[in-house]
Amino acid sequence: MYGEFAFLYDELMDDFDYEGWFNYIEEIFRRYDKDIREILEMACGTGSLSYYFAKKGYKLTAFDRSEEMLSIAYDKLRRFKNVKLLRQDMVDFKINKKFDCILSTCDSINYILDEKDLLKTFTNAYNHLRDGGLFIFDINSYYKLKELIGNNIFLQDRGEIFYTWQNQFDLDTNICNFYLTFFYSQDGEHFLRFDEEHKERAYKNEEIINTLKEAGFDKIDVYEAFSFHPAGKESERIKYVAMKK
Ligand SMILES: C[S@@+](CC[C@H](N)C(=O)[O-])C[C@H]1O[C@@H](n2cnc3c(N)ncnc32)[C@H](O)[C@@H]1O
């Protein structure tokens, strides 16, 4: 769960090109010949991607389940009249309207840990889409979670933020446990420590496709993120574009 990590998230994600992700998603709209105006973003986190859709004038509803993440998103997005921020859970959210597109980026879907909840999430997304609408999301691939993150330990020293990221991949559940320890300082001398545990489920491509079909989606395309090439065995981030008939 995202707690205090939320307040360091943007700094630690500074090498993620959210503007590039935004341009890529707009390119999807063009390639699929869709006139997208109203967007729902599930698990928007700190609103870094939301910001670009808001700035471009899309009518955006965005939600997350972490209050801490939402508090950062609120600061980024409050000046936009075309944005509504909510606290909801992807698995059982209810919004009394339908959208042209539903988005979920940066492996938020991997945070859904079991198949039943995955089906509920996809069915819920389907029910909140207009006919012809697009559901666009990315996941950390099975390959990345098992082989690259797997049982490895990563450390990063950024001066005022130092963190360790210890991982353990459970082969029975396909869940990768991330044990995160952060030390951060505001004055460069005194460091505060906090710990968080996160879990991401590794899904195989067939599991995602079958669950999307079960939820009712019709045409499903799978790309190596952020391209329009098919995903391969060693793709780390996989992008899905599923259409409601
Ligand atoms: C890796 S962050 C990605 C945030 C954002 N989409 C981005 O691109 O930076 C994952 C986000 O998923 C949210 N999340 C995880 N499970 C959720 C759920 N069941 N419902 C809503 N949000 C969820 C977390 O709170 C967190 O903000």
Side-chain angles (χ1 to χ4, degrees):
M1 272 296 247
Y2 281 81
E4 275 181 86
F5 179 18
F7 303 104
L8 305 182
Y9 186 84
D10 283 351
E11 207 168 327
L12 296 178
M13 296 286 280
D14 60 3
D15 55 340
F16 277 62
D17 177 13
Y18 284 104
E19 189 171 11
W21 291 16
F22 163 73
N23 290 331
Y24 173 70
I25 292 169
E26 276 208 316
E27 180 60 24
I28 295 177
F29 298 165
R30 283 189 287 274
R31 288 192 183 215
Y32 285 73
D33 200 16
K34 298 289 175 191
D35 180 19
I36 305 288
R37 288 157 198 253
E38 288 196 67
I39 298 177
L40 173 67
E41 188 184 357
M42 306 196 300
C44 62
T46 60
S48 297
L49 180 69
S50 332
Y51 169 81
Y52 290 99
F53 285 97
K55 202 164 84 159
K56 189 76 183 271
Y58 288 93
K59 219 169 164 197
L60 178 73
T61 302
F63 71 77
D64 200 277
R65 73 173 174 193
S66 155
E67 273 178 20
E68 288 85 350
M69 294 297 260
L70 282 170
S71 72
I72 311 282
Y74 178 72
D75 284 344
K76 234 174 251 167
L77 300 169
R78 69 178 151 192
R79 72 184 165 95
F80 295 105
K81 301 240 173 328
N82 48 326
V83 177
K84 198 181 271 176
L85 264 187
L86 305 169
R87 180 160 184 239
Q88 297 247 12
D89 192 305
M90 284 189 280
V91 178
D92 55 15
F93 70 93
K94 190 157 176 41
I95 298 168
N96 218 3
K97 64 186 292 196
K98 293 195 178 194
F99 299 86
D100 302 320
C101 173
I102 298 184
L103 297 174
S104 185
T105 57
C106 198
D107 46 273
S108 305
I109 293 291
N110 295 98
Y111 278 78
I112 295 168
L113 301 180
D114 76 65
E115 299 88 350
K116 279 194 203 118
D117 281 349
L118 188 70
L119 178 59
K120 275 191 183 172
T121 302
F122 288 177
T123 306
N124 218 358
Y126 185 87
N127 290 337
H128 283 80
L129 272 177
R130 298 198 171 106
D131 291 348
L134 297 179
F135 179 31
I136 303 173
F137 62 94
D138 64 72
I139 60 164
N140 270 334
S141 68
Y142 190 93
Y143 166 76
K144 179 177 177 188
L145 285 170
K146 179 167 177 289
E147 305 297 339
L148 304 183
I149 297 180
N151 292 303
N152 293 314
I153 298 175
F154 303 95
L155 299 176
Q156 205 177 43
D157 184 353
R158 293 180 160 231
E160 70 287 3
I161 302 174
F162 179 90
Y163 74 91
T164 65
W165 177 19
Q166 304 180 67
N167 305 302
Q168 180 257 326
F169 190 87
D170 184 331
L171 280 170
D172 292 329
T173 60
N174 287 329
I175 290 174
C176 194
N177 294 286
F178 308 158
Y179 303 100
L180 296 152
T181 299
F182 297 90
F183 297 89
Y184 77 99
S185 172
Q186 281 173 337
D187 61 8
E189 264 183 55
H190 304 91
F191 282 77
L192 287 174
R193 171 183 171 159
F194 67 90
D195 297 87
E196 271 186 28
E197 190 179 336
H198 288 231
K199 290 175 190 289
E200 286 200 9
R201 163 83 184 260
Y203 289 102
K204 299 210 166 118
N205 186 43
E206 314 82 76
E207 292 178 285
I208 297 282
I209 299 277
N210 291 339
T211 313
L212 282 168
K213 284 187 180 156
E214 206 179 326
F217 285 98
D218 182 41
K219 182 178 181 306
I220 301 160
D221 293 318
V222 187
Y223 302 112
E224 158 101 35
F226 302 92
S227 77
F228 291 95
H229 311 304
K233 276 201 175 101
E234 296 196 352
S235 296
E236 294 181 29
R237 187 171 295 285
I238 303 182
K239 195 92 194 169
Y240 291 86
V241 181
M243 201 188 294
K244 177 168 178 173
K245 225 181 193 168

